[in-house]
Amino acid sequence: MYDVIIIGAGPAGVSASLYTQRANLKTLIIYYGKSSLQKAENIENYYGFEHGISGKDLYELGIRQAQNIGVEVKGQEVVNVEQLINEDARFRVTTVEGKYESKALIFAMGNEKNRPKIKGIERFEGKGVSYCAVCDGFFYRNKDVVVLGSGNYAISEVNELINVVKSVAILTNGESSPEFRADNVKIETKPIEEITGKDRVEEVRFKDGTTLKTSGVFVAQGVAGSLDLAKKLGVITKNNNIVVNENMETNMQGLYACGDCVGGLLQVSKAVGDGAKAGMEAIKFIRKIHNS
Ligand SMILES: Cc1cc2nc3c(=O)[nH]c(=O)nc-3n(C[C@H](O)[C@H](O)[C@H](O)COP(=O)(O)OP(=O)(O)OC[C@H]3O[C@@H](n4cnc5c(N)ncnc54)[C@H](O)[C@@H]3O)c2cc1C
C-alpha cells in the first residue's frame, strides 16, 4: 500500500510528489498519455530558464527529479478509481496493468476533455448519455446500451456494464475495432452521425443511414480524463473542472486535485503551486489519521 498515489506526471503531480516523498510518505505517480506540457514548444514564462525550455524537456526533467528522490513512477493508463470503506487504504486505483491502494489520492490529470463531437451528445447528457458506468449502469438494468470508444477505458466500462444491463455494444465511431472479444458484446466500427430521441436517447444514427436502437450511450472515448474519474467517486465538478477549496481539497476526505483539472489559470506556474499545496495537505491528512 502507498501513502499517496498521484495520477498525472505533469507539473502539478510532480510538484505534489516532491513534498509527499520528502515528508517520508511512500508515493506513487501513475501517468499515461500526453501532458499539456509536452505539447508546448517552448516555455518562456516560467521561472529559472533564461532562454526558456521546451515543454517536452521540462516534463521529462520533472519525472526524473521525482524518481531521483525515491518517488515510484509507473507509466500505466488509469481506467478506474474506487473509494474503500473500513480499510486502511481509502482508495484503489486500477490501471490496465494492476491495482494500487493508498491512504490519500491526488488528481493531477490535466484538463483533456473527452466529449466527442457527435450531434445529440450534449442535448442528452443525463437523459441517456452518461460518462460513468459504475455510477449510472444500474439505471439501465435490463436495457440495451452502447459504449462509445475503442480503447482500454471503453473496455473497462463495458466490463462494468456487462453484468448489469441486458446488452452492451461497443461503437468505435470510425476507429479500428478493439481486440476485446465477448460472445454477448457486439462491436460496430461505422462512423456515427447523430444520437436521437424524443425526451431521452432512443437510437444512434450512423453516417451510412443505418440506425441502432439503444436506451443509453456511455461515453468512454480515449483515455479516462480527470472528470471521468472524479464522477466515478462522486466528486463535485463544475464547468468541466473538479471543485476544490483553497487547500486543493475536494469534497471527499483524503482526495485532492491540482493543476489544470481544477481550472483557473492554465499555466505551469499555477500547476506547480497547486501541486505543492495538494502535497502539503495530503501530508497533514496522513499524519492526522496516523495519530488518531
Ligand atoms: C500548446 C500548449 C502550449 C502551452 N504553453 C505554455 C506556456 O508557454 N507557459 C505555461 O506556463 N503554460 C503553457 N501551457 C499550459 C501548461 O502546459 C499546463 O498548464 C500544465 O502542463 C498543466 O499541468 P498539469 O500537471 O495540471 O497537467 P498536464 O501537464 O496536462 O499533465 C497531466 C498528466 O496526467 C496524466 N494522465 C491524464 N489522464 C491519465 C490517465 N487516464 N491515466 C494516467 N495518467 C493520466 C498525463 O499523462 C500527464 O502526465 C501550454 C499548453 C499547451 C497545450
Side-chain angles (χ1 to χ4, degrees), residues 7-14 29-46 59 63 74 76-79 108-112 223-226 229 258-261 265-272:
I7 309 177
V14 166
I29 290 182
I30 309 178
Y31 75 100
Y32 181 84
K34 277 244 177 294
S35 142
S36 286
L37 192 54
Q38 289 169 295
K39 298 178 194 162
E41 207 177 305
N42 204 33
I43 304 276
E44 293 183 352
N45 53 4
Y46 185 58
Y59 185 68
I63 292 174
K74 293 185 190 292
Q76 297 181 11
E77 181 182 351
V78 174
V79 291
M109 303 168 65
N111 83 338
E112 288 284 324
V223 173
S226 53
L229 297 187
C258 50
D260 282 6
C261 67
L265 184 70
L266 304 183
Q267 290 280 283
V268 174
S269 51
K270 187 261 192 184
V272 168

